[in-house]
Structures are given as structure tokens and as C-alpha cells.
Amino acid sequence: MIEVKNLIKVYGSNTDKVLELIEKGMSNEEIKNKTKHVVGVRDVSFTVEKGESFVIMGLSGSGKSTLLRCINRLIKASSGEILIDGQNIITMSGKDLEEIRQHRMAMVFQRFALLPHRTILDNVGYGLEIQGVDKRKRLDKVLEVIEMVGLKGWENSYPENLSGGMQQRVGIARALATDPDILLMDEPFSALDPLIRQDMQDELLDIQNKLQKTIIFITHDLDEALKVGDRIALMKDGCIVQMGQPEDILLSPATEYVARFVENVNRSLALTASSVMVRPRYVVHPKDGPRTALNFMEKHGLSTLFVLDRLGKLKGYIKAEDASDIASQGIKDLGGIIQTDMPTAGPDSPLAGLLEVMAYTKVPIAVVDENNKLQGALVRGSVIAGLAGGRGEMNNG
Amino acid sequence: MDSIPRIPLGEWTDNFITYLQINFGSGTQAFSDGLESLIKGLQGFLISLPPELVIIVVAILAWWLAGKKIALFTVLGLFFIYNLGLWSVTMETIAMVISAVLFCMIIGVPLGILGAKNNTAHRIIMPILDFMQTLPAFVYLLPAIPFFGLGVVPGVITTIIFAMPPVIRLTDLGLKQVPEELIELGKSFGSTFFQMLLKIELPLARSTILAGINQCIMLSLSMVVIASMIGAKGLGGVVWRAIQTLKMGMGFEAGVAIVIIAIILDRITQNLGKSK
């Protein structure tokens, strides 16, 4: 677990004075004009749980890279605490710091930071080599992680012979080779082409599913943040302006700044079925009979209706024409016309995956929980409203 | 302006050197003896080798590092020197160059590292280097005599002073040019100071440092020739004797031999940094 408490980083020689001014509430701009000191990170606090992917997002100059570098003390913070399982990074001895850097955390860099004079094998083995693991012992582990990132066969190549995406795979393999619990990723995919970037994001998620590392991930790309992050912190001028789950950031931006930031995002990546579904007001039970069902449909202009059992579990849906058929035949029970081949989704299903389903089906998508109880329905209107930035609360069913 | 008395810089220097001589004379004598046996030993060794063997070995080295043409030039050039009867004086010169360059590397690379790592050290070292490089060589050729007498030792020592600056400068530069992200990489994986140096910084600065060593070799060669004025012998000795006796032909032959050696050394060491 990583706890960051009231972290401040001031660049310059007289930090004490600037810390006082920050205490007094002077803005970064005023401090810069008055003292020529730059405030990189300003009173930031957050906690990252074990196994969580925490994304720090912001534009360049927002202090996100500085914050990341404070965590492994590549940059020494001016004030505050950074606790890794209770040990304070800022005050620990150089020896302890080396130990933690060797065994507990590893970093992935924006421009890959591969050593050009070493083969892929030796680049990936760098961390183990620093730990003093001898060559024969590190080989197994190195080959294992190289295979994990899909670079088998490239062991003896040099970085210059690899494409950008492959180079970053080496960077990730190198970070995984020492089995750290914490991965610090500094805009790892920003230097890659968009398509390759998406592949790498997917692969990172796969790896994360398998290994459950604690990840702190820096990016300036909101789409990436929404995809990768369990939680997101949005930074501006050294402060965290909003922190929360992807949906919180999207649906309830805390400030004007955040709102502007999320304006152009691909919302389908962050929105889940439950955030855009509508409450299914009109449902029938099998015993209700075709007349009641037809009444409902006629009244509300629907062509289908969900059918639930007594416990609220979804049984399927019926079509208007089938209902009028059996009504004319005098059948009282709907059981014979219930259609069960219908699209369903869980409350947490990402909207991105459901859009295609919606395009090809005329029935609303039913959102059901793990017990198959109906929670809501996805209809086109509400989904489009959600994608457009509204709250997805339209009355329809 | 004239009201200020003349500043006696010359006297001060004389006094300082006399002081050093009295207080450190015995130390420099021991050092001088050690250095002399090293250089003389190397000279004796090179001269004792059959010239054919030396030519073949150097030619192979040239082929490997600089290609066919330079290898051919090496064979012809060295044979020409042998043919002129300048072989043993050439070996003397080479031995002096090797000794001087060795010392330049042993002292220069660590100083360059110090300069790159420590700003204060950098601010002290750099002006001294400027001073060493711009002060006319003759000016410190003379003070070397009272400490080390006449002969190869003062010659090699002045050569070291003259040729060391590029090694220090380019080591310093090479280390500073290592990309910041690779330094961060090293630190973020918990590398110690020496691991950083040996596994990241020096390998990446390698070609720059070798460029410094190449310059050092060329400067050493030019200086051991000048150092013949204080008795360093070798090819420079032949030139010096030719000047004193006005034997222009003899001077020209030795001069051509120096040029040949310079080209061979330059081409071979220039390519050290480029090969993997």
C-alpha cells in the first residue's frame, strides 16, 4: 500500500520560505513571481491500495511526473510523507532506498530508456543484475518475462532493431523481471502510435489481471486513464483537482477545469451499463395474460416487453404481434410466446462493448445482476444521451 | 599605470620551484626512477621484438579496426621507416607515447568522472585544463629539468601534462551526455554509484572517451618530439640533432617517419569508438 500525505515539492534553494507561503495560501503564480521558486507538487495526498491501478492524469506542467518521481525519490520531496507499507521513502537512508528500489518498485519510462549497448536479454535482466543475481539464475526469470510480453525470439537483438512498441515491451519486461509489487509507469504509451498504444493498454490490463501489481500510471490522455485506471486523480498546477473512479470523473466533474477536460473523451470506455440504463417501468409476469401486455404496449408505444417471474428474475421478452396472436386464440398464459434469446449485460459491463450489440438488435438490452434479476434496460435514447454527456436518465422502457 | 611596481611573477615562480625542489626533490627522484625504468623497459622490449613481427601485428590490428587500406598503409609505412634505419628510434618514440597515454588515462578518466559528478570539482578542473593547454609547452619543459633531470622522464611528464586535458574534458562531456532517462533508469532500479558508472555511464560515454584518448595520443606524439629538446631522444631526437647540425635530409626523413606513425595511430584509434 502506498500512502502519500501532504506532499509538496518546491524547486529552488530556499524551500522553507516557499513552504511558509504555501501554508499562507499564496498561489503558485504569486510564489513564482515573488521568489523565483517553482512549486511542482502542492499538498497532494492519496492512498493506493495493493493491486490497484491508480492513474495520475494532467497536462504537461501539471506536476504529475514530478509526483511520480517523488515516490521512488528520483526527486526528493520538500515536505510531506510517502509511506510504502509504513516506511517513509522521503526520510529513509540511501541504503534502504536502494533496497526498496531494487526489490519493491520498478519504473517504466516514456522514451523506454533501454540501454543501447545491451541485448534485449541483458536489458531485461538489468534489475536482477543490480540485485547481484548471477547470470545463470537470472536467465530463467528473464526468459519468462520476455515470453510474457511476447518478445520470444528477440533475446539477442539490440534495442535499435526493435520498433517503439516492442521497445516498450522490453521496458515492461524489465520492470516485471524483479517481481516488484509496485510499478511506476511514466506515460509509458505516449510515444507510441495510437493503434499500438491501444494494443499495449490491452496487454497491460491482461498482465495486470494475472499479476495484480500496484500500479501508478501517469498519462495526459483521458481515454487511456479511463481504460487503465481503477481510480483516477486529475492534476492541475501541482494539485489534485479531482480523484475518483473513472465514472465519477466523467459524470460529476468537480470543477470547470475537469469538465472541460472530459468534454471530448470517448465516454463509451468509461461508462458502464448501469450508468446509462433506464429503469424498466413496464414489465409483465407470465400470468398477466396477453390482454394486459397489449394494453401496456399500446399505451406506451412499445413493441416488446420484458417478462419477469415472481422474484423479479428475467425470463425473456414478448413481442406485440405474438401477444395479439394468442389473445385472438383465447390463450391466457404468456408462457408459450416468451423469447429467451435476448442480449443481456451486467451492471458493470463497459458500454464500449455493448454499442455494437445495440446496433444489430431491436430489443432493448436487459441489464441483470448476478442472480439474473432485472436492474434496468439499455435503450438507444439513454445510451446516446450518456455518450453525449447527459446523465442517461430518460423515462423509457 | 607606471606608479604600480612591476609584479615579480617570474621571481615568485623561481622561488616556488626552488621551494618544491628542496622539499619534494627526494620524492620526485624516486618517482622519476620508477617512471624511467618503466619507459626504458618498454623501449627495450619494443626494440628487442623482430620488426617483421611488429609490422604484422600492427597491420592485423589496423585491418581489424580500420580496414584494408589502412592495413596496407601500415605495412608500407612501417617498412619504409625500417628501410630508412629509423626503426629503433621509432620504437623509442612509440614507447614514450604509450607510457604517456597510459598515465593520461589512469589520471584523466577518474578526473573526468569527478568533474562530471561534482560541480565544484568541475569548476576547479576546467580552468586548470585551459591553463595546461594554452601555456606554451616550452615554459614547463624547462622547470621539469630540475625535478627530473634530462632524459625521457621529464619528456614523458611534460607530455602527460600536455596531452591529458582532452581525456579529462571528453570523459566529463561523455558522462554528461548520458540521457537523463537512462540515469533515472539506473537509479530507479537501485543501482549503486559504481554500478551506475560501470553499467550505464561509462559504456554510453565510451565513444566520446575514446575520441578523447585518440586526441591524447596525437598530442602525445607531437609533444614527445618537442621533448627531445630536453633529451627525450626517439624520432624527435633525430630531428633535433638534424636542426643543430643543419642536416636537412636527416631531419626530413625523421619528419616523414613521424607523420607515418601519426597517421597509423590516428586511423587505428579513431575507429576504436565506432566498433561494437
Side-chain angles (χ1 to χ4, degrees):
Chain A
M1 187 168 83
I2 306 169
E3 292 165 273
V4 174
K5 295 179 183 165
N6 305 104
L7 192 77
I8 299 178
K9 172 62 193 177
V10 176
Y11 290 102
S13 48
N14 192 357
T15 51
D16 287 348
K17 191 178 154 202
V18 176
L19 290 177
E20 259 174 51
L21 294 176
I22 290 174
E23 189 92 355
K24 281 183 195 154
M26 194 182 266
S27 78
N28 293 352
E29 193 66 37
E30 286 173 298
I31 290 173
K32 194 178 171 191
N33 290 336
K34 196 172 165 188
T35 65
K36 306 274 176 239
H37 284 51
V38 174
V39 180
V41 175
R42 185 175 171 131
D43 200 13
V44 162
S45 302
F46 60 86
T47 303
V48 183
E49 299 295 337
K50 195 169 171 2
E52 188 182 20
S53 304
F54 186 74
V55 173
I56 300 169
M57 187 182 60
L59 301 176
S60 55
S62 61
K64 57 191 193 302
S65 286
T66 304
L67 176 55
L68 186 77
R69 281 164 172 72
C70 286
I71 292 169
N72 62 358
R73 215 168 97 182
L74 285 177
I75 294 176
K76 193 155 185 178
S78 310
S79 140
E81 286 183 341
I82 298 168
L83 303 177
I84 295 194
D85 293 336
Q87 285 178 285
N88 192 344
I89 289 285
I90 298 174
T91 54
M92 68 173 44
S93 71
K95 201 84 209 131
D96 290 345
L97 181 66
E98 261 165 28
E99 178 73 20
I100 275 205
R101 284 171 171 177
Q102 280 178 17
H103 296 277
R104 300 289 314 276
M105 44 170 69
M107 194 159 172
V108 179
F109 295 86
Q110 183 173 5
R111 308 238 31 121
F112 324 134
L114 302 184
L115 296 169
H117 60 285
R118 287 173 167 241
T119 59
I120 300 314
L121 199 69
D122 288 341
N123 264 294
V124 173
Y126 183 81
L128 293 169
E129 194 179 321
I130 292 303
Q131 291 178 4
V133 179
D134 73 57
K135 194 157 188 155
R136 210 167 312 145
K137 278 190 192 154
R138 49 176 202 258
L139 192 64
D140 287 341
K141 183 70 199 174
V142 168
L143 291 177
E144 182 194 321
V145 288
I146 285 180
E147 184 162 5
M148 188 186 288
V149 300
L151 282 180
K152 205 174 171 193
W154 292 88
E155 291 85 354
N156 295 315
S157 308
Y158 283 87
E160 60 182 4
N161 301 323
L162 269 58
S163 68
M166 290 162 85
Q167 291 195 21
Q168 193 56 297
R169 284 165 200 266
V170 178
I172 291 172
R174 175 176 61 192
L176 294 174
T178 54
D179 272 331
D181 344 305
I182 299 166
L183 291 181
L184 303 174
M185 308 187 87
D186 182 22
E187 303 210 28
F189 308 140
S190 298
L192 304 175
D193 297 337
L195 287 176
I196 303 205
R197 190 183 310 160
Q198 286 180 18
D199 288 348
M200 295 292 284
Q201 290 162 352
D202 291 340
E203 257 176 77
L204 178 68
L205 291 175
D206 278 354
I207 290 172
Q208 174 64 352
N209 270 337
K210 267 181 244 157
L211 302 179
Q212 293 296 312
K213 302 288 184 193
T214 306
I215 297 177
I216 298 188
F217 188 107
I218 303 287
T219 182
H220 60 255
D221 176 356
L222 186 57
D223 286 339
E224 184 168 80
L226 296 169
K227 187 166 173 185
V228 173
D230 293 330
R231 274 191 310 143
I232 298 172
L234 208 142
M235 279 186 86
K236 180 180 185 259
D237 297 336
C239 305
I240 291 182
V241 283
Q242 188 172 4
M243 180 157 54
Q245 289 174 347
E247 282 174 60
D248 299 340
I249 305 261
L250 267 190
L251 297 179
S252 35
T255 66
E256 182 69 16
Y257 178 77
V258 182
R260 284 220 319 274
F261 214 105
V262 299
E263 226 168 44
N264 298 317
V265 73
N266 180 356
R267 290 170 162 261
S268 71
L269 288 172
L271 294 175
T272 55
S274 63
S275 60
V276 292
M277 69 189 183
V278 292
R279 257 175 291 156
R281 299 194 175 192
Y282 312 109
V283 294
V284 287
H285 299 289
K287 293 266 153 31
D288 282 348
R291 292 277 168 216
T292 323
L294 280 170
N295 250 341
F296 260 146
M297 290 193 254
E298 214 164 301
K299 210 166 166 187
H300 300 288
L302 306 170
S303 58
T304 57
L305 264 184
F306 290 144
V307 182
L308 304 185
D309 68 9
R310 293 279 160 219
L311 297 167
K313 290 189 182 173
L314 182 70
K315 290 190 75 78
Y317 70 98
I318 53 167
K319 292 180 184 164
E321 62 257 38
D322 294 343
S324 71
D325 275 358
I326 59 166
S328 61
Q329 288 164 30
I331 301 173
K332 288 271 161 62
D333 196 294
L334 293 172
I337 58 163
I338 296 174
Q339 309 271 338
T340 51
D341 59 330
M342 61 181 299
T344 60
D348 294 329
S349 309
L351 197 53
L354 298 172
L355 291 175
E356 201 183 5
V357 179
M358 292 203 74
Y360 294 105
T361 176
K362 291 207 166 105
V363 191
I365 297 177
V367 181
V368 293
D369 68 8
E370 62 269 31
N371 296 319
N372 205 31
K373 270 192 170 173
L374 186 68
Q375 303 289 307
L378 295 179
V379 296
R380 287 182 188 181
S382 70
V383 170
I384 290 166
L387 289 174
R391 288 304 204 80
E393 276 179 13
M394 288 172 63
N395 292 329
N396 203 340
Chain B
M1 283 266 271
D2 288 342
S3 63
I4 303 168
R6 184 181 179 279
I7 297 164
L9 184 60
E11 282 96 289
W12 289 345
T13 313
D14 288 344
N15 292 343
F16 181 63
I17 287 172
T18 314
Y19 168 81
L20 287 181
Q21 218 180 328
I22 292 165
N23 291 284
F24 300 98
S26 55
T28 55
Q29 191 56 48
F31 176 71
S32 167
D33 291 345
L35 191 58
E36 179 156 11
S37 55
L38 179 87
I39 302 164
K40 288 274 161 71
L42 191 57
Q43 286 180 337
F45 172 70
L46 288 180
I47 293 169
S48 74
L49 293 174
E52 298 84 349
L53 180 69
V54 176
I55 293 175
I56 289 168
V57 170
V58 178
I60 289 171
L61 202 65
W63 192 319
W64 181 45
L65 289 168
K68 242 188 298 192
K69 280 183 195 163
I70 303 299
L72 186 67
F73 178 83
T74 303
V75 172
L76 294 178
L78 290 180
F79 177 76
F80 184 54
I81 290 173
Y82 178 74
N83 179 268
L84 291 175
L86 293 170
W87 185 260
S88 59
V89 281
T90 302
M91 289 303 113
E92 279 175 23
T93 297
I94 299 278
M96 283 191 284
V97 170
I98 291 174
S99 321
V101 170
L102 220 57
F103 274 92
C104 285
M105 284 163 64
I106 292 169
I107 304 167
V109 172
L111 279 178
I113 293 170
L114 185 67
K117 292 278 176 187
N118 185 313
N119 272 333
T120 316
H122 182 85
R123 278 198 291 271
I124 295 170
I125 292 170
M126 290 305 147
I128 296 177
L129 295 187
D130 293 335
F131 191 78
M132 281 162 73
Q133 280 186 303
T134 48
L135 194 70
F138 298 103
V139 176
Y140 54 88
L141 215 48
L142 297 175
I145 298 173
F147 289 105
F148 307 109
L150 284 168
V152 288
V153 175
V156 168
I157 285 176
T158 49
T159 303
I160 291 169
I161 295 171
F162 182 71
M164 190 158 42
V167 178
I168 301 177
R169 263 187 221 284
L170 287 169
T171 303
D172 177 285
L173 178 70
L175 291 183
K176 282 191 177 143
Q177 280 175 341
V178 175
E180 180 60 24
E181 210 175 44
L182 295 180
I183 301 289
E184 286 189 335
L185 155 78
K187 287 185 183 163
S188 71
F189 278 86
S191 313
T192 61
F193 178 82
F194 285 105
Q195 284 174 329
M196 289 289 293
L197 205 58
L198 295 175
K199 293 178 193 291
I200 295 182
E201 291 169 307
L202 287 178
L204 285 162
R206 182 170 164 268
S207 61
T208 312
I209 295 173
L210 287 171
I213 290 171
N214 169 269
Q215 284 187 28
C216 171
I217 291 170
M218 303 315 288
L219 288 174
S220 297
L221 184 61
S222 71
M223 192 62 192
V224 294
V225 173
I226 295 173
S228 63
M229 289 171 62
I230 52 171
K233 303 224 180 74
L235 282 169
V238 179
V239 176
W240 185 235
R241 215 163 50 242
I243 292 171
Q244 284 174 322
T245 54
L246 284 176
K247 286 183 180 158
M248 276 175 251
M250 185 169 105
F252 187 70
E253 282 178 2
V256 168
I258 290 168
V259 171
I260 291 170
I261 296 298
I263 292 172
I264 293 171
L265 286 177
D266 182 55
R267 294 300 185 277
I268 291 179
T269 56
Q270 216 174 40
N271 287 294
L272 275 177
K274 288 174 197 154
S275 60
K276 267 246 165 86

